[in-house]
Amino acid sequence: AQEQQLSVVVGPGGPQQAEATRAFRFTAAEGTWSALLTPDTITLEAAAADEHYTSYREFSERFRQIWSALLEHFKPRAVLQHGLRYVNHIERELPVGDWQQLINPGLLGPLTTSFSTGLVQAMSDLRFELDDGVLAFKHGLVPAGPQNKLGYLLDFDYFTQVQNDDTSVEALLKRFDCYHDKIYAFFRWCVTEQALEEFRNGD
């Protein structure tokens, strides 16, 4: 399917430039996985809420197939940006103070106190400059999803914009592996044992 992506450059005086880019989306038959191809990017996406998404290993295998095809047909000479992102939205109907059952209280901060009374949305945006890239982390209590349900957002975006002239599948997957391991360790700190048990049981 063809799509149009609109890029907007915003300056002190407001929007300064808008540019439309034609994109092509290739979607697997079951609808879970898709690859978005633009003139300068390739993005592999999985519908994480779908029961067909199983693991990072499946992502890795599918990316290997897609990048191998891209190397064969387009022959890129360098990778200018490379990243891995996980967006988790834990939907529960809980009093704000009870989120510590699922989320590390160290992350919740004021949400565990009396100041949470009447709270309907809270969002924090953190950015970490690390040796191998940038980790942008957004978290908080926000409504989201098709039904705009309230839930706790854990959004991890690990990326680098340092040019890499090694475009081999192995080089890219090695970096993905590293990013995945670090994101998972962070995610594991963010959630409680109770949350993990509920995830395993499909609750």
Side-chain angles (χ1 to χ4, degrees), residues 39-53:
D40 55 6
T41 64
I42 180 72
T43 305
L44 175 62
E45 300 175 352
D50 192 296
E51 62 181 5
H52 295 290
Y53 177 66

Side-chain angles (χ1 to χ4, degrees), residues 41-66:
T41 64
I42 180 72
T43 305
L44 175 62
E45 300 175 352
D50 192 296
E51 62 181 5
H52 295 290
Y53 177 66
T54 57
S55 66
Y56 168 74
R57 177 176 296 180
E58 184 176 2
F59 166 85
S60 179
E61 292 172 352
R62 288 179 179 268
F63 182 82
R64 177 182 293 275
Q65 295 175 334
I66 290 173

Side-chain angles (χ1 to χ4, degrees), residues 27-95:
T27 305
E30 75 278 6
T32 304
W33 294 88
S34 66
L36 185 67
L37 179 66
T38 73
D40 55 6
T41 64
I42 180 72
T43 305
L44 175 62
E45 300 175 352
D50 192 296
E51 62 181 5
H52 295 290
Y53 177 66
T54 57
S55 66
Y56 168 74
R57 177 176 296 180
E58 184 176 2
F59 166 85
S60 179
E61 292 172 352
R62 288 179 179 268
F63 182 82
R64 177 182 293 275
Q65 295 175 334
I66 290 173
W67 190 253
S68 296
L70 190 139
L71 286 174
E72 178 182 354
H73 295 286
F74 293 94
K75 298 177 175 57
R77 291 180 293 178
V79 176
L80 303 183
Q81 180 165 323
H82 186 187
L84 182 66
R85 185 179 184 188
Y86 286 95
V87 180
N88 310 273
H89 191 248
I90 306 170
E91 296 178 358
R92 295 290 189 279
E93 293 186 5
L94 294 174

Side-chain angles (χ1 to χ4, degrees), residues 10-178:
V10 179
Q16 297 178 341
Q17 179 181 351
E19 181 179 347
T21 302
R22 186 170 63 168
F24 297 90
R25 184 177 296 277
F26 302 87
T27 305
E30 75 278 6
T32 304
W33 294 88
S34 66
L36 185 67
L37 179 66
T38 73
D40 55 6
T41 64
I42 180 72
T43 305
L44 175 62
E45 300 175 352
D50 192 296
E51 62 181 5
H52 295 290
Y53 177 66
T54 57
S55 66
Y56 168 74
R57 177 176 296 180
E58 184 176 2
F59 166 85
S60 179
E61 292 172 352
R62 288 179 179 268
F63 182 82
R64 177 182 293 275
Q65 295 175 334
I66 290 173
W67 190 253
S68 296
L70 190 139
L71 286 174
E72 178 182 354
H73 295 286
F74 293 94
K75 298 177 175 57
R77 291 180 293 178
V79 176
L80 303 183
Q81 180 165 323
H82 186 187
L84 182 66
R85 185 179 184 188
Y86 286 95
V87 180
N88 310 273
H89 191 248
I90 306 170
E91 296 178 358
R92 295 290 189 279
E93 293 186 5
L94 294 174
V96 175
D98 289 350
W99 274 101
Q100 56 189 319
Q101 299 172 13
L102 303 176
I103 304 297
N104 188 329
L107 196 63
L108 294 173
L111 272 65
T112 62
T113 72
S114 59
F115 291 106
S116 64
T117 302
L119 182 68
V120 294
Q121 182 168 323
M123 176 66 73
S124 296
D125 190 346
L126 294 82
R127 181 171 292 248
F128 303 89
E129 295 279 355
L130 304 173
D131 292 340
D132 56 356
V134 175
L135 175 57
F137 175 53
K138 297 179 181 179
H139 73 95
L141 196 63
V142 294
Q147 299 178 351
N148 206 38
K149 289 185 177 181
L150 188 66
Y152 204 90
L153 176 72
L154 297 170
D155 182 346
F156 306 87
D157 188 7
Y158 207 149
F159 64 93
T160 180
Q161 293 177 317
V162 177
Q163 178 172 323
N164 182 9
D165 295 330
D166 186 350
T167 63
S168 67
V169 174
E170 290 71 20
L172 270 65
L173 287 179
K174 182 178 180 181
R175 174 164 282 163
F176 273 142
D177 291 345
C178 182

Side-chain angles (χ1 to χ4, degrees), residues 90 92 187 191-192 194-203:
I90 306 170
R92 295 290 189 279
F187 170 80
V191 299
T192 65
Q194 179 178 330
L196 287 181
E197 192 63 30
E198 290 188 12
F199 298 157
R200 295 188 185 105
N201 294 333
D203 295 337

